[in-house]
Short mmCIF file of all heavy atoms in Angstrom, two decimals:
data_model
loop_
_atom_site.label_atom_id
_atom_site.label_comp_id
_atom_site.label_asym_id
_atom_site.label_seq_id
_atom_site.Cartn_x
_atom_site.Cartn_y
_atom_site.Cartn_z
N THR S 75 -26.25 -11.65 -5.89
CA THR S 75 -24.83 -11.89 -5.78
C THR S 75 -24.69 -13.03 -4.71
O THR S 75 -25.07 -12.86 -3.54
CB THR S 75 -24.13 -10.55 -5.21
OG1 THR S 75 -24.13 -9.65 -6.29
CG2 THR S 75 -22.67 -10.89 -4.96
N ILE S 76 -24.09 -14.09 -5.02
CA ILE S 76 -24.09 -15.26 -4.13
C ILE S 76 -22.80 -15.46 -3.38
O ILE S 76 -21.75 -15.26 -4.01
CB ILE S 76 -24.31 -16.59 -4.97
CG1 ILE S 76 -25.71 -16.57 -5.64
CG2 ILE S 76 -24.26 -17.81 -4.10
CD1 ILE S 76 -25.91 -17.70 -6.60
N SER S 77 -22.91 -15.62 -2.06
CA SER S 77 -21.67 -15.76 -1.21
C SER S 77 -21.87 -17.19 -0.55
O SER S 77 -22.92 -17.23 0.25
CB SER S 77 -21.56 -14.61 -0.27
OG SER S 77 -20.40 -14.91 0.58
N SER S 78 -21.00 -18.07 -0.68
CA SER S 78 -21.13 -19.44 -0.10
C SER S 78 -19.83 -20.16 -0.15
O SER S 78 -19.12 -20.08 -1.10
CB SER S 78 -22.24 -20.25 -0.80
OG SER S 78 -22.22 -21.56 -0.31
N GLY S 79 -19.61 -20.83 0.96
CA GLY S 79 -18.39 -21.68 0.97
C GLY S 79 -18.46 -22.96 0.08
O GLY S 79 -17.47 -23.62 -0.10
N ARG S 80 -19.62 -23.26 -0.45
CA ARG S 80 -19.89 -24.35 -1.31
C ARG S 80 -19.49 -24.02 -2.81
O ARG S 80 -19.49 -24.97 -3.69
CB ARG S 80 -21.32 -24.81 -1.20
CG ARG S 80 -21.63 -25.31 0.18
CD ARG S 80 -23.04 -26.00 0.02
NE ARG S 80 -23.05 -27.13 -0.79
CZ ARG S 80 -24.15 -27.53 -1.45
NH1 ARG S 80 -25.33 -26.95 -1.38
NH2 ARG S 80 -24.04 -28.58 -2.25
N VAL S 81 -19.23 -22.83 -3.10
CA VAL S 81 -18.87 -22.49 -4.39
C VAL S 81 -17.32 -22.71 -4.61
O VAL S 81 -16.55 -22.09 -3.92
CB VAL S 81 -19.11 -21.00 -4.82
CG1 VAL S 81 -18.68 -20.56 -6.20
CG2 VAL S 81 -20.60 -20.73 -4.63
N ALA S 82 -16.98 -23.63 -5.46
CA ALA S 82 -15.60 -24.03 -5.67
C ALA S 82 -15.04 -23.19 -6.89
O ALA S 82 -15.75 -22.83 -7.83
CB ALA S 82 -15.43 -25.51 -6.01
N ASN S 83 -13.71 -22.88 -6.76
CA ASN S 83 -13.11 -21.94 -7.71
C ASN S 83 -11.78 -22.54 -8.16
O ASN S 83 -10.97 -22.89 -7.29
CB ASN S 83 -12.94 -20.58 -7.14
CG ASN S 83 -12.20 -19.66 -8.14
OD1 ASN S 83 -11.40 -18.82 -7.66
ND2 ASN S 83 -12.49 -19.60 -9.38
N ARG S 84 -11.53 -22.59 -9.40
CA ARG S 84 -10.21 -23.03 -10.01
C ARG S 84 -9.82 -22.17 -11.20
O ARG S 84 -10.65 -21.81 -12.03
CB ARG S 84 -10.28 -24.55 -10.49
CG ARG S 84 -10.63 -25.50 -9.43
CD ARG S 84 -9.50 -25.76 -8.47
NE ARG S 84 -9.71 -26.88 -7.56
CZ ARG S 84 -10.56 -26.67 -6.48
NH1 ARG S 84 -10.91 -25.58 -6.11
NH2 ARG S 84 -10.70 -27.67 -5.63
N ASP S 85 -8.48 -21.93 -11.27
CA ASP S 85 -8.02 -21.26 -12.39
C ASP S 85 -7.53 -22.29 -13.33
O ASP S 85 -6.63 -23.16 -13.02
CB ASP S 85 -6.89 -20.26 -12.01
CG ASP S 85 -7.34 -19.08 -11.36
OD1 ASP S 85 -8.60 -18.74 -11.44
OD2 ASP S 85 -6.57 -18.31 -10.79
N VAL S 86 -7.90 -22.27 -14.65
CA VAL S 86 -7.57 -23.33 -15.57
C VAL S 86 -7.03 -22.72 -16.94
O VAL S 86 -7.42 -21.59 -17.20
CB VAL S 86 -8.71 -24.35 -15.85
CG1 VAL S 86 -9.31 -24.95 -14.59
CG2 VAL S 86 -9.85 -23.60 -16.63
N THR S 87 -6.26 -23.47 -17.61
CA THR S 87 -5.80 -23.03 -18.82
C THR S 87 -6.28 -24.06 -19.90
O THR S 87 -6.19 -25.25 -19.77
CB THR S 87 -4.21 -23.08 -19.01
OG1 THR S 87 -3.67 -22.23 -17.91
CG2 THR S 87 -3.79 -22.63 -20.33
N ILE S 88 -6.93 -23.49 -20.99
CA ILE S 88 -7.51 -24.29 -22.03
C ILE S 88 -6.94 -23.68 -23.49
O ILE S 88 -6.46 -22.62 -23.43
CB ILE S 88 -9.03 -24.26 -22.09
CG1 ILE S 88 -9.51 -22.88 -22.28
CG2 ILE S 88 -9.53 -24.71 -20.76
CD1 ILE S 88 -11.04 -22.73 -22.61
N PRO S 89 -7.10 -24.48 -24.56
CA PRO S 89 -6.69 -24.04 -25.87
C PRO S 89 -7.50 -22.75 -26.17
O PRO S 89 -8.70 -22.59 -25.74
CB PRO S 89 -7.09 -25.16 -26.78
CG PRO S 89 -7.02 -26.35 -25.87
CD PRO S 89 -7.55 -25.96 -24.60
N LEU S 90 -7.00 -21.86 -26.98
CA LEU S 90 -7.68 -20.60 -27.37
C LEU S 90 -8.74 -21.00 -28.34
O LEU S 90 -8.54 -21.52 -29.56
CB LEU S 90 -6.73 -19.72 -28.07
CG LEU S 90 -7.21 -18.37 -28.49
CD1 LEU S 90 -7.70 -17.53 -27.18
CD2 LEU S 90 -6.14 -17.53 -29.21
#
Side-chain angles (χ1 to χ4, degrees):
T75 298
I76 299 174
S77 178
S78 171
R80 295 188 63 209
V81 177
N83 175 221
R84 297 287 185 276
D85 288 346
V86 304
T87 300
I88 65 172
L90 186 61

